Amino acid sequence: MSPQQKPLGIVVGVDGSPSSTAAVEWAARDAEMRNVRLTLVHVVPPVVAGGGFWPETPAPGGLAELQEGEARQVIEDGLKTALEASSPDRAEQVHSEVRNAQIVPTLIELSKDADLLVLGCRGQGALARALLGSVSSALVHHAHCPVAVIHDEDPAQSHSPEAPVVVGVDGSPASELATEIAFDEASRRGVELVAVHAWSDMGPLNFGTPGRAPIEWANVKEQEEEVLGQRLAGWLEQYPDVPVRRVVVSDRPAPRLLEQAENAQLLVVGSHGRGGFTGMLLGSVSRTVVNSAQIPVIIARKP
């Protein structure tokens, strides 16, 4: 079962950086698997001159022309990358455009008509793997559709195409959407789905303290396995072709999701969990995962 397709299909932000190139390649392959349109967008913010105590004015014509030329080159390079990553018969389904506007508001608006928004993480440098760039960070918080964040490495080369898809399951509405996305992605890839359910948000269970009875993991594991089974039951019926490996642990979710991601090709998590705030905030688990994972991460967001 696939979600209802939206007009723009998969939208990928293009800026010419190495992580942007990796994002275009991944988005092209994912759009082909889903058989949806791929829309490449390069957003050029307004160029202004001035500053300090002087009012800002439009930039001189020469600077504007230079920016326009660079924008054309960026989008042409992105389009070439997308077509090379796609089958020849996909050319009519690949579109590109340049928009002159503020970057974040423009991509947020486009996300209303997208099945998925794909972005590269921040580019090269020591902090690239620890922190998201300002644009990708803003969009994983505010987009109106799921957001995929792609790191600099070529996703097609870093992990085997037979590697599984991993999803975090905690029973929240965002987790339910993440589960739907993960089943769909695993089905299209023909791979196993690893469903991770972390029972405790307080870390591994230890011995009880004096005067208090210890919480025995054995006493609750069977119950939590049943909970996970209930969360997966409907999706197993809709995707009988997807083999599922269930991982139920007594630990914080993020470390165990990252552990499973080491041998996976894709990780899917909700934008906020059962204990998080709703609305525009990104939950602590999804924030940790998207900052730390070395594979593509889809953050399941709803309009």
Side-chain angles (χ1 to χ4, degrees), residues 23-77:
V24 171
E25 293 174 348
W26 187 91
R29 288 188 287 268
D30 206 61
E32 183 166 351
M33 281 191 297
R34 298 184 186 206
N35 192 28
V36 299
R37 172 178 175 145
L38 175 65
T39 304
L40 282 66
V41 180
H42 177 53
V43 185
V44 183
V47 178
V48 294
F53 296 101
W54 301 98
E56 293 183 341
T57 59
L63 182 57
E65 290 176 4
L66 176 63
Q67 187 183 50
E68 182 180 347
E70 291 177 345
R72 284 198 303 269
Q73 188 62 55
V74 167
I75 201 68
E76 287 173 6
D77 290 346

Side-chain angles (χ1 to χ4, degrees), residues 95-117:
H95 303 266
S96 63
E97 60 178 284
V98 175
R99 294 203 177 191
N100 293 281
Q102 296 295 335
I103 297 174
V104 171
T106 299
L107 291 175
I108 289 175
E109 184 65 24
L110 288 170
S111 73
K112 294 178 180 178
D113 293 316
D115 296 314
L116 178 69
L117 180 62

Side-chain angles (χ1 to χ4, degrees), residues 129-151:
R129 302 183 188 281
L131 300 172
L132 289 180
S134 59
V135 172
S136 50
S137 179
L139 288 161
V140 297
H141 284 77
H142 301 295
H144 297 279
C145 69
V147 178
V149 178
I150 314 300
H151 294 271

Side-chain angles (χ1 to χ4, degrees), residues 5-25:
Q5 295 179 5
K6 294 186 178 180
L8 297 180
I10 292 180
V11 174
V12 55
V14 182
D15 64 10
S17 67
S19 60
S20 167
T21 300
V24 171
E25 293 174 348

